[in-house]
Amino acid sequence: MKKVYLAGYDVFAADAVRRGAQMKRVCAERGFIGLYPLDNEASDPIEIFKGNLELIEQCDILIANLNSFRGAEPDSGTCFEVGYAYA
């Protein structure tokens, strides 16, 4: 089964865990395994960074929420994840 990394600013929402579970459920219904940034249970910023890179490296596909976040542009962390996955 192909794995999908679910990138986006949704991790900052008050209901981030619920959002992640919902997105992972949708992936499963379509025959994919969804990996959500909060699956990386680290709390230290460097460990979060390393853990999320490891999740991206496990995936075949990246889906990103690039809607505007706190202004007119997407979340910079999500933009980085898109670039990292592309590279």
Side-chain angles (χ1 to χ4, degrees), residues 13-56:
D15 63 343
V17 173
R18 183 196 62 76
R19 288 182 189 210
Q22 180 180 356
M23 288 187 273
K24 290 169 69 171
R25 195 170 29 258
V26 169
C27 286
E29 289 169 358
R30 288 160 175 76
F32 297 98
I33 297 169
L35 298 181
Y36 189 58
L38 295 183
D39 292 342
N40 166 21
E41 296 180 3
S43 58
D44 174 75
I46 295 198
E47 295 305 313
I48 291 169
F49 176 76
K50 289 178 182 179
N52 288 350
L53 293 185
E54 289 175 13
L55 290 175
I56 292 169

Side-chain angles (χ1 to χ4, degrees), residues 35-81:
L35 298 181
Y36 189 58
L38 295 183
D39 292 342
N40 166 21
E41 296 180 3
S43 58
D44 174 75
I46 295 198
E47 295 305 313
I48 291 169
F49 176 76
K50 289 178 182 179
N52 288 350
L53 293 185
E54 289 175 13
L55 290 175
I56 292 169
E57 290 170 4
Q58 293 177 38
C59 290
D60 304 287
I61 302 164
L62 180 138
I63 296 175
N65 179 351
L66 294 172
N67 289 314
S68 297
F69 177 65
R70 297 183 185 157
E73 297 180 355
D75 170 55
S76 58
T78 303
C79 291
F80 172 83
E81 290 173 327

